[in-house]
């Protein structure tokens, strides 16, 4: 059982390594540069010990006068070569690691934008942000650090060992007896490194999430006097992260001296052997100095090689977290139909949809809206109104049934073409960092200033935009905090006007506004609705009364439908709703 598990673990590790390698190997020149540079760098270490021996022997040599010039020159050349190799190696490595970061970020964002909305329902934004920032940099750090240390220190060790072998291979072999012991320490430490790294990433995600929430919700926190609650949550998460970091540090700090001690034992043994008379029988004092020098220089690269393990494990565990996003299936986009502009007929045919579990959010929804008509959805909160409109642009996929746009199933359009046909205006208006102009022209950054101005005018947004210090070019600030709800709403309407799509969805577009701003917005919305098939979900009656069809929903089902006058004449439920409030009462209560 245990064996099976470790086998699987190894397989997984190997898979992660090869997948990571895939990101690295697209930069062959940078890899070659760093490997080549570091090999040159590494070669100068045994060269230095050789030079030391050479110089010691030169003192007693016959052509002492010549060597007095040669030796310092050699010293300088070694340092120059070492410098060039080191520079070339680390420069190429910087190219490599930043290339990997860039590639991963771009790939992640591309992938993220094509994941189904469902994915975002189940992951916190903080965790995602932390994957983008912390985890990606951990991967690149690990990759570049690993290459640097493995190539540079690895070749240093190889070079030194080769030099030792060359001087006395038998002695050197005894030195290598400690290798298995070192390997054991390293492998035990790896296990812990990996465990703590994964925990650390998770707690970083949590920390980011709490920080995000606290910054975004700072007003609510103040108004509810929840500072203590927030800070205790943060303290907990940060403390968890701190402890994991410490555990990681303990493992690293403990494994390094153990390895160093093992190396020192081997070195001591080596010195004892090298000081024997047999060693000197055919060697010079210079050989002795060079041999011991080389053996002594082995300690540092070996130590670094064992330390790199923690970085690699951290990188592997970060790559697992990043790859988990890349492994999420993107939304199916196999439709082939491309349309410039649909007319806007929409038909629901027995549509069922489940968020998760077994309970339908909407059941057996069938209705038809013709191009240019307005359909209003009414019903209490949670009755499935938003769900229905979210199915049209395929934010979620129906579990059964079909939605047809101009008599073509929505899945048969390409996602891009489908979404080009639809403008969404909801209660929560999201403004992006940038100017008002950029926010209005979000769907089409090439739109001319005149067109944007025209859209803003028809959305009645110019009234307030003119008052702003830089007009259309005013920066909206983080998520548009500088603008009032009504102003944001008008920007959203201008955005939709500019997009000029044949289908319009207004999901409680005016619910967040007071009655007066709603009056203003209503005119802008009327402008927006002209000539479009419109779905409208609203609280207040005035907007709904004019709709061509009204669908009354309860518990995910259409319970009544018709025009306002029809429903008023025929439907008891609608009459009850009409005299009361569309939202707050359940149908059961109003009946
Ligand atoms: P309405 O817009 O009429 O208020 P919704 O369509 O938002 O209602 O919600 C219908 C039902 O689906 C509710 O029971 C709600 O809790 C559930 N629901 C809505 N959004 C999600 C979601 N993203 N994940 C899971 N359940 C959801
Ligand atoms: Mg809703």
């Amino acid at each position: 059982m245990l064996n099976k598990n470790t086998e699987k673990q190894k397989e997984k590790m190997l898979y992660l390594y090869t997948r990571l390698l895939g990101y690295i190997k697209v930069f062959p020149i940078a890899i070659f540069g760093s490997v080549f540079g570091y090999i040159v760098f590494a070669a100068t270490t045994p060269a230095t010990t050789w030079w030391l021996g050479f110089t010691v022997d030169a003192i007693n040599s016959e052509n002492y006068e010549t060597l007095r010039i040669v030796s310092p020159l050699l010293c300088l050349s070694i340092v120059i070569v070492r410098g060039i190799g080191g520079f070339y190696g680390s420069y190429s490595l910087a190219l490599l690691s930043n290339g990997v970061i860039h590639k991963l970020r771009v790939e992640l964002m591309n992938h993220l934008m094509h994941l189904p909305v469902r994915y975002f329902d189940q992951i916190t934004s903080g965790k995602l942000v932390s994957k983008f920032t912390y985890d990606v940099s951990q991967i690149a750090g690990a990759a570049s650090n690993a290459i640097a240390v493995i190539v540079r220190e690895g070749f240093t060790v190889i070079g030194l060992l080769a030099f030792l072998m060359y001087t006395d291979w038998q002695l050197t072999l005894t030195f290598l007896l400690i290798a298995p012991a070192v390997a054991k320490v390293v492998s035990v430490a790896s296990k812990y490194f990996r465990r703590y790294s994964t925990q650390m990433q998770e707690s970083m995600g949590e920390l980011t999430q709490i920080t995000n929430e606290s910054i975004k919700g700072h007003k609510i926190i103040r108004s509810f006097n929840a500072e203590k609650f927030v800070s205790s949550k943060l303290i907990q998460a940060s403390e968890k992260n701190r402890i994991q970091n410490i555990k990681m540090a303990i493992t690293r700090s403990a494994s390094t001296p153990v390895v160093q001690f093992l190396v020192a034992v081997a070195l001591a043994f080596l010195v004892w052997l090298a000081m024997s008379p047999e060693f000197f029988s055919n060697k010079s004092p210079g050989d002795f100095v060079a041999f011991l020098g080389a053996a002594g220089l082995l300690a540092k690269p070996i130590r670094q090689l064992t330390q790199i393990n923690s970085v690699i494990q951290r990188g592997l565990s970060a790559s697992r977290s990043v790859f988990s996003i890349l492994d999420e299936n993107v939304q199916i986009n196999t439709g082939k139909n491309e349309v410039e502009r649909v007319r806007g007929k929409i038909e629901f045919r027995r549509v069922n949809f489940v968020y998760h579990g077994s309970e339908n959010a909407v059941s057996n929804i069938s209705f038809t809206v013709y191009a240019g008509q307005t359909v209003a959805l009414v019903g209490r909160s949670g009755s499935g109104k938003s769900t229905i409109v979210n199915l049209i642009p395929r934010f979620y996929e129906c579990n059964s049934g079909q939605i047809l746009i101009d008599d073509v199933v929505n899945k048969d359009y390409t996602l891009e073409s489908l979404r080009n046909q639809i403008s969404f205006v909801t209660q929560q208006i999201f403004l992006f960092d940038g100017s008002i102009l950029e926010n209005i022209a979000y769907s089409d950054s090439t739109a001319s200033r005149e067109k944007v101005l025209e859209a803003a005018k028809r959305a009645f947004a110019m009234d307030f935009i003119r008052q702003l210090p830089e007009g259309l070019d005013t920066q909206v600030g983080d998520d548009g905090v500088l603008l009032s709800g009504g102003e944001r709403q008008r920007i959203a309407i201008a955005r939709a006007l500019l997009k000029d799509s044949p289908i319009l969805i207004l999901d409680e577009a005016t619910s967040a506004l007071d009655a007066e701003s709603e009056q203003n917005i209503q005119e802008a919305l009327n402008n927006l609705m002209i000539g479009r098939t419109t779905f409208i979900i609203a609280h207040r009656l005035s907007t709904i009364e004019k709709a061509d069809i009204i669908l009354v929903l309860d518990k995910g089902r259409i319970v009544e439908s018709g025009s306002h006058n029809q429903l008023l004449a025929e439907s008891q439920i609608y009459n009850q709703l009409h005299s009361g409030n569309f939202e707050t009462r359940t149908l059961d209560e109003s009946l």
Side-chain angles (χ1 to χ4, degrees):
M1 187 64 200
L2 201 76
N3 259 339
K4 230 183 185 173
N5 270 344
T6 49
E7 273 300 304
K8 259 196 183 154
Q9 273 261 316
K10 268 189 193 156
E11 237 168 66
K12 262 192 191 155
M13 285 293 121
L14 199 69
Y15 167 75
L16 280 178
Y17 273 119
T18 40
R19 191 159 174 190
L20 258 184
L21 218 60
Y23 285 87
I24 295 169
K25 71 180 180 204
V26 292
F27 302 100
I29 297 173
I31 297 176
F32 174 79
S34 56
V35 171
F36 178 75
Y38 282 142
I39 287 179
V40 170
F41 180 91
T44 57
T45 309
T48 309
T49 55
W50 168 84
W51 169 82
L52 201 64
F54 171 83
T55 309
V56 168
D57 285 340
I59 296 168
N60 300 321
S61 153
E62 294 132 31
N63 41 4
Y64 168 78
E65 280 304 323
T66 353
L67 292 179
R68 197 178 153 201
I69 309 289
V70 172
S71 180
L73 285 181
L74 271 175
C75 170
L76 282 179
S77 333
I78 290 174
V79 170
I80 289 171
V81 171
R82 189 177 173 88
I84 293 173
F87 165 79
Y88 201 51
S90 63
Y91 168 69
S92 308
L93 208 56
L95 283 181
L96 181 65
S97 70
N98 287 293
V100 170
I101 292 188
H102 177 69
K103 191 170 148 59
L104 264 173
R105 267 195 214 128
V106 171
E107 198 171 310
L108 260 181
M109 188 46 97
N110 269 340
H111 194 76
L112 208 60
M113 289 299 100
H114 293 105
L115 288 180
V117 173
R118 216 179 256 282
Y119 180 76
F120 294 86
D121 287 348
Q122 62 186 13
I123 188 162
T124 65
S125 62
K127 289 214 169 104
L128 268 180
V129 170
S130 160
K131 278 176 197 263
F132 261 80
T133 51
Y134 181 74
D135 294 1
V136 168
S137 69
Q138 292 278 310
I139 293 179
S144 66
N145 241 321
I147 292 178
V149 172
I150 289 170
V151 176
R152 196 179 57 208
E153 309 306 329
F155 277 97
T156 303
V157 170
I158 292 172
L160 287 172
L161 282 177
F163 180 75
L164 290 173
M165 288 279 204
Y166 170 75
T167 314
D168 193 318
W169 64 271
Q170 283 154 316
L171 272 187
T172 309
L173 284 184
T174 58
F175 183 73
L176 291 183
L177 286 176
I178 55 149
V182 172
K184 182 72 199 164
V185 175
V186 172
S187 95
V188 170
S190 307
K191 214 177 74 199
Y192 289 100
F193 286 145
R194 206 157 44 229
R195 180 182 307 165
Y196 299 141
S197 297
T198 309
Q199 291 172 355
M200 264 155 66
Q201 274 148 25
E202 278 161 14
S203 64
M204 271 313 278
E206 234 168 275
L207 260 177
T208 319
Q209 176 65 11
I210 296 171
T211 314
N212 269 357
E213 280 176 0
S214 314
I215 294 170
K216 277 215 177 114
H218 66 102
K219 276 194 191 135
I220 307 220
I221 293 170
R222 267 158 239 217
S223 69
F224 283 91
N225 282 322
E227 291 93 341
K228 278 212 187 88
F229 173 70
V230 171
S231 74
S232 82
K233 247 169 81 174
L234 187 96
I235 288 170
Q236 262 178 28
S238 178
E239 175 69 8
K240 213 156 99 187
N241 185 259
R242 186 186 71 85
I243 290 172
Q244 283 149 3
N245 266 308
I246 297 290
K247 281 185 183 165
M248 184 90 173
I250 291 175
T251 317
R252 185 172 45 231
S253 319
S255 66
T256 305
V258 172
V259 169
Q260 257 174 330
F261 178 73
L262 289 172
V263 174
V265 168
L267 269 180
F269 186 54
L270 201 65
V271 171
W272 183 76
L273 287 174
M275 285 174 81
S276 68
E278 295 96 69
F279 183 83
F280 276 110
S281 60
N282 56 355
K283 290 190 185 69
S284 67
D287 287 337
F288 182 74
V289 169
F291 189 81
L292 280 191
L297 281 180
L298 268 175
K300 185 178 153 254
I302 289 181
R303 191 192 69 215
Q304 291 209 340
L305 279 173
T306 57
Q307 272 185 347
I308 193 59
N309 192 30
S310 72
V311 180
I312 293 180
Q313 298 305 334
R314 208 183 291 179
L316 281 181
S317 132
S319 53
R320 190 178 316 146
S321 137
V322 168
F323 291 154
S324 77
I325 301 184
L326 293 177
D327 288 341
E328 287 288 331
N329 290 330
V330 295
Q331 186 167 18
I332 295 167
N333 187 9
T334 48
K336 294 275 179 292
N337 277 29
E338 300 255 5
V339 276
E340 190 60 35
R341 190 180 178 85
V342 294
R343 271 169 288 119
K345 178 187 172 194
I346 296 177
E347 185 182 351
F348 273 59
R349 279 192 196 155
R350 282 209 279 263
V351 169
N352 288 291
F353 174 74
V354 188
Y355 278 106
H356 40 67
S358 57
E359 205 173 332
N360 273 7
V362 294
S363 307
N364 205 19
I365 302 292
S366 298
F367 65 88
T368 307
V369 209
Y370 294 95
Q373 282 192 325
T374 298
V375 52
L377 305 179
V378 298
R380 67 181 165 109
S381 164
S383 59
K385 305 180 296 290
S386 300
T387 306
I388 289 178
V389 291
N390 273 301
L391 292 172
I392 303 171
R394 290 180 60 197
F395 289 158
Y396 298 93
E397 309 279 11
C398 331
N399 292 76
S400 67
Q402 287 176 323
I403 299 169
L404 296 94
I405 299 175
D406 278 8
D407 301 315
V408 176
V409 180
N410 65 353
K411 284 178 193 165
D412 291 342
Y413 291 104
T414 62
L415 271 177
E416 195 191 359
S417 168
L418 171 70
R419 288 174 184 168
N420 260 339
Q421 312 303 321
I422 302 165
S423 294
F424 236 96
V425 183
T426 63
Q427 186 173 1
Q428 290 157 336
I429 303 300
F430 193 83
L431 295 182
F432 298 86
D433 183 28
S435 67
I436 290 188
L437 186 124
E438 285 163 342
N439 266 288
I440 293 176
Y442 198 70
S443 63
D444 177 14
S445 53
T446 60
S448 70
R449 204 179 166 85
E450 284 68 45
K451 275 180 90 176
V452 174
L453 202 69
E454 172 66 26
K457 263 188 204 147
R458 287 184 55 211
F460 295 97
M462 277 323 283
D463 309 350
F464 77 87
I465 293 176
R466 252 185 238 110
Q467 315 281 326
L468 294 172
E470 285 166 70
L472 272 176
D473 299 308
T474 310
Q475 297 290 315
V476 296
D478 191 15
D479 196 16
V481 282
L482 307 176
L483 301 170
S484 76
E487 291 165 349
R488 295 157 63 101
Q489 201 59 268
R490 275 177 275 178
I491 291 183
I493 292 169
R495 197 187 267 167
L497 275 166
L498 191 73
K499 186 174 177 190
D500 189 26
S501 62
I503 300 166
L504 175 67
I505 295 171
L506 305 171
D507 187 354
E508 312 215 15
T510 55
S511 301
L513 306 177
D514 52 79
E516 198 186 335
S517 338
E518 195 182 337
Q519 275 292 312
N520 283 324
I521 304 287
Q522 198 55 56
E523 278 181 78
L525 281 177
N526 289 343
N527 271 346
L528 181 57
M529 286 161 66
I530 297 167
R532 297 174 218 279
T533 309
T534 305
F535 284 78
I536 183 159
I537 301 172
H539 286 255
R540 272 172 268 262
L541 273 173
S542 56
T543 28
I544 289 164
E545 282 172 6
K546 280 183 256 151
D548 298 294
I549 322 165
I550 299 167
L551 304 176
V552 184
L553 285 153
D554 187 41
K555 298 194 182 102
R557 290 174 187 278
I558 299 179
V559 289
E560 297 281 348
S561 67
S563 72
H564 173 67
N565 287 333
Q566 261 175 333
L567 286 172
L568 217 52
E570 293 166 14
S571 164
Q572 206 188 348
I573 303 173
Y574 189 74
N575 270 299
Q576 296 284 350
L577 276 167
H578 186 227
S579 54
N581 185 311
F582 275 100
E583 272 289 328
T584 49
R585 267 194 228 167
T586 68
L587 281 179
D588 304 335
E589 279 169 318
S590 43
L591 273 171

